[in-house]
Amino acid sequence: MIYNEEGVIWVKCDNCCLTMFGGFASDSRDDVINPMKRQGWTFGDRALCPYCTKDEGWIHRVMADIRRGDIDW
């Protein structure tokens, strides 16, 4: 998801909710998407961060480890 908050554009992963700075208000959606694609993000039906682009299930495994206490978050 790409959203504008007071002139600042944020890109949020639709799978794990990782949110990154996408830039400042621009004239074109491509001004945000192209730099994010270079960082590994994908945009289709959903916006996916570089981690979820490689493996959409990673966040579920990490959260399960945190709940079990295997990872000290």
Side-chain angles (χ1 to χ4, degrees):
M1 166 181 19
I2 299 173
Y3 63 95
N4 186 335
E5 187 173 284
E6 298 179 13
V8 177
I9 297 172
W10 296 96
V11 181
K12 181 178 179 180
C13 179
D14 292 326
N15 189 48
C16 71
C17 298
L18 173 69
T19 305
M20 293 186 70
F21 173 74
F24 294 102
S26 63
D27 297 331
S28 170
R29 179 177 165 94
D30 290 335
D31 290 345
V32 175
I33 290 178
N34 290 335
M36 298 305 286
K37 282 183 177 179
R38 285 193 293 273
Q39 294 181 20
W41 286 71
T42 58
F43 298 90
D45 295 335
R46 303 181 306 157
L48 296 176
C49 70
Y51 307 108
C52 292
T53 295
K54 293 177 186 170
D55 177 14
E56 286 190 39
W58 77 272
I59 190 67
H60 304 294
R61 291 190 301 278
V62 169
M63 293 305 294
D65 290 345
I66 291 170
R67 284 188 209 100
R68 278 195 310 271
D70 294 343
I71 296 177
D72 184 19
W73 199 265

